[in-house]
Amino acid sequence: MSDVVSPDALGSAASHVVAPPVPAGAPLVEVRGLRKDYPIGGGFLGRARATVHAVAGVDLTVRTGETLGIVGESGSGKSTLGRCILRLTEPTAGSVSFGGRDVLALSGRDLRAMRREMQIVFQDPYASLNPRMRIGAIVAEGIEIHGLARGAAKRARVHELLEKVGLRPEHYDRYPHEFSGGQRQRVGIARALAVGPRFIVADEPVSALDVSIQAQVLNLLRRLQDEMHLAYLFISHDLRVVAHVSHRVAVMYLGKIVEQAPVAELYRNPRHPYTRALLSAVPVPDPRRRPDRIRLGGDVPSPVNPPTGCAFHPRCPYAEDRCRRDVPPLIEGAEEHAVACHVFPAPPR
């Protein structure tokens, strides 16, 4: 008797809703007007005293087989955006489409089926693995939940995944504390791949690792993308890392995307003052080159009470009266370069 379990036999979510195939280069994930607000405080009768606007109306598209990098300072809403797309956090408003299916309208078995297609690799390889579970059980958990295999077939599948991410089959029976940080992150990647996804949110997947290990994990992610035709939403605060793995880059500030472009275009021709400041802070390995560092004044405004007009205007050296009054829309120009700035708009078509 086969150890591979039929989805129909188990009543698995896999037999209900799965997004149809999407051609290479076509939009796979489409986000429109996504918002996430967190009420804070317990005022009179339990009413919220204020609201944190973590994600403040984001539009983006991730195409099949590409990596969209999301960069920005801590607190800009990057991780919240990724979690809202996966519905690990429920958005306040907006829409998320995956392969043409409305993700926010799904529930029950339909949502479980869609979760096979959309997975996440967490930032902290130490906190994201259950220390009481063996590595084999951690990687096999999704296989069991979705009824994809059992018994010897399940074990063989886990062995295959471990080898694919650069680990050995004999690691199956070990515990997370027996591994280094880079090895634990490989386990996290294997867990994400176990159910055969097409889209992965990589939430700062190398920020907790040593630089030498970072390169290994990044190269692994790129190889897996080529082999499995994966799409990534790659979240990071490190612009060097994003340049290495991304096809396009979106820059977030205070819950909004302020600039977006193909990676070569963004690094060659940054338009928004915030993007320029971020790029000026990237270390240069050549000691003879001393790039002009753009130092921003003031602090990041509170997402509880964001500024009127452009959220960046209190720190922007080029701010004009209209920047303080009117919110700049994200407008796309030449080279797929979109900018939300009154002073430095997108390059003309």
Side-chain angles (χ1 to χ4, degrees):
M1 182 176 179
S2 174
D3 286 320
V4 178
V5 178
S6 164
D8 295 328
L10 290 183
S12 165
S15 62
H16 289 269
V17 173
V18 176
V22 177
L28 178 66
V29 179
E30 297 182 274
V31 176
R32 298 292 177 263
L34 195 67
R35 301 185 62 89
K36 180 57 185 178
D37 299 330
Y38 291 99
I40 58 174
F44 183 65
L45 298 179
R47 295 174 182 171
R49 294 190 306 235
T51 301
V52 175
H53 306 286
V55 179
V58 167
D59 296 340
L60 62 82
T61 299
V62 183
R63 300 164 185 155
T64 302
E66 81 159 353
T67 299
L68 175 64
I70 304 288
V71 299
E73 294 171 284
S74 296
S76 60
K78 308 184 299 296
S79 294
T80 303
L81 171 63
R83 289 171 177 267
C84 285
I85 292 174
L86 299 180
R87 285 189 65 184
L88 296 178
T89 298
E90 288 293 334
T92 302
S95 66
V96 178
S97 172
F98 179 83
R101 305 302 300 263
D102 185 355
V103 175
L104 303 185
L106 301 177
S107 61
R109 291 182 173 181
D110 293 343
L111 179 59
R112 180 186 290 185
M114 189 63 74
R115 290 199 188 282
R116 279 192 58 192
E117 308 277 356
M118 309 168 72
Q119 291 289 306
I120 185 169
V121 176
F122 294 99
Q123 175 179 358
D124 189 349
Y126 296 91
S128 61
L129 304 180
N130 188 334
R132 298 183 179 182
M133 293 178 65
R134 297 179 189 272
I135 295 303
I138 290 172
V139 176
E141 194 169 20
I143 297 173
E144 294 175 352
I145 289 172
H146 292 284
L148 304 179
R150 64 186 177 195
K154 180 184 71 175
R155 190 179 185 94
R157 173 61 176 158
V158 173
H159 284 174
E160 178 187 350
L161 288 164
L162 292 177
E163 291 185 304
K164 187 178 286 290
V165 300
L167 298 175
R168 297 193 299 272
E170 54 264 33
H171 290 151
Y172 186 99
D173 292 315
R174 296 185 184 179
Y175 288 94
H177 73 268
E178 300 179 68
F179 293 88
S180 67
Q183 288 175 319
R184 293 188 198 193
Q185 197 60 293
R186 290 172 187 267
V187 174
I189 294 170
R191 176 176 58 185
L193 296 176
V195 292
R198 286 188 282 166
F199 172 65
I200 292 178
V201 173
D203 186 5
E204 305 243 22
V206 297
S207 63
L209 307 178
D210 293 339
V211 174
S212 60
I213 306 302
Q214 286 184 10
Q216 296 175 19
V217 174
L218 292 174
N219 290 334
L220 170 64
L221 290 172
R222 293 183 64 178
R223 176 173 61 80
L224 292 172
Q225 182 175 49
D226 293 339
E227 292 177 0
M228 306 177 68
H229 310 292
L230 296 169
Y232 293 138
L233 184 74
F234 191 95
I235 298 168
S236 179
H237 63 274
D238 190 330
L239 277 83
R240 295 173 302 171
V241 169
V242 169
H244 182 67
V245 300
S246 301
H247 297 90
R248 293 184 299 127
V249 179
V251 181
M252 284 192 73
Y253 184 79
L254 212 63
K256 295 183 178 180
I257 292 177
V258 297
E259 186 164 6
Q260 181 174 289
V263 62
E265 167 67 13
L266 185 85
Y267 283 70
R268 180 185 62 83
N269 182 29
R271 305 286 293 181
H272 198 281
Y274 178 61
T275 307
R276 297 180 185 183
L278 289 179
L279 289 173
S280 76
V282 175
V284 177
D286 187 349
R288 293 169 296 182
R289 293 178 54 199
R290 294 184 178 272
D292 295 331
R293 174 74 183 273
I294 300 175
R295 301 185 182 277
L296 300 176
D299 298 321
V300 179
S302 170
V304 176
N305 186 25
T308 59
C310 175
F312 187 64
H313 86 255
R315 307 174 70 193
C316 181
Y318 309 101
E320 301 175 350
D321 287 341
R322 58 178 173 170
C323 301
R324 302 176 179 90
R325 183 180 63 250
D326 302 325
V327 178
L330 186 68
I331 298 177
E332 183 175 314
E335 304 290 336
E336 295 186 280
H337 198 151
V339 186
C341 184
H342 294 303
V343 182
F344 301 100
R349 294 179 183 274

